[in-house]
Amino acid sequence: MLKLIVGALNANGWMSIILIVILLGWLIYTLVQNYRVKQAAKYLTNKDFQSGMRKAQVVDLREPKTFKDGHILGARNVPYSTMRNFYQQLRPDLPVYLYDQGKTVSKRAALFLSKKGYQNIFILKTGYQNWDGKEKKSH
């Protein structure tokens, strides 16, 4: 019986160690990704996004149906799912203002554009879900 208990404890101990290693790996990956995003792009508040967007290319990364339901006035739709094929439509000499529903997709797009040589990349910090500026909604 004692061997059975010790065996179970050892098995659970290894499972705990494996779980801790996985969690540490995920934490390190997340920290590295966030650092990379901060090197590639700058986060903007709604107010800062609104004040600079007239001189920038505003890109909505959501899918077309969501874009048609409502988007920031003046934005163009370049869904992230098509970014690899259509990023050349964006001028590298002008600032690029990115947004999606939150900011997860914008982070990925910023990293991609940065790899392609774009330098003035900005992300709407709170995403479209908390946008308080002008919008265009379909009726």
Side-chain angles (χ1 to χ4, degrees):
M1 182 64 143
L2 185 60
K3 281 186 177 180
L4 187 63
I5 293 171
V6 170
L9 286 175
N10 284 340
N12 286 337
W14 280 109
M15 293 300 284
S16 297
I17 291 170
I18 290 170
L19 182 60
I20 289 169
V21 168
I22 290 171
L23 287 173
L24 281 174
W26 173 80
L27 177 63
I28 291 168
Y29 172 80
T30 302
L31 291 172
V32 168
Q33 284 298 92
N34 284 336
Y35 174 78
R36 289 179 59 220
V37 170
K38 286 183 181 179
Q39 298 302 308
K42 181 180 177 190
Y43 291 105
L44 297 178
T45 63
N46 277 350
K47 182 180 176 186
D48 292 335
F49 197 93
Q50 287 176 49
S51 66
M53 62 189 272
R54 286 184 202 91
K55 297 177 184 173
Q57 305 164 93
V58 181
V59 179
D60 186 319
L61 297 164
R62 301 171 305 152
E63 293 301 315
K65 172 157 183 5
T66 312
F67 178 80
K68 287 177 187 169
D69 289 343
H71 58 272
I72 294 174
L73 190 63
R76 71 167 135 177
N77 189 218
V78 180
Y80 180 72
S81 61
T82 66
M83 176 69 70
R84 293 191 187 284
N85 297 324
F86 297 105
Y87 75 91
Q88 299 95 336
Q89 293 177 357
L90 302 173
R91 290 179 48 183
D93 60 320
L94 292 176
V96 179
Y97 279 36
L98 302 171
Y99 75 93
D100 61 285
Q101 200 61 28
K103 64 182 173 194
T104 305
V105 175
S106 295
K107 290 185 204 179
R108 285 189 229 139
L111 288 173
F112 174 77
L113 290 172
S114 177
K115 285 181 187 175
K116 296 298 183 184
Y118 291 76
Q119 295 180 357
N120 294 317
I121 305 168
F122 301 88
I123 297 172
L124 180 59
K125 189 177 193 172
T126 58
Y128 183 71
Q129 64 191 1
N130 293 311
W131 177 249
D132 62 2
K134 293 182 181 179
E135 300 176 61
K136 181 173 184 178
K137 297 201 182 246
S138 63
H139 299 288

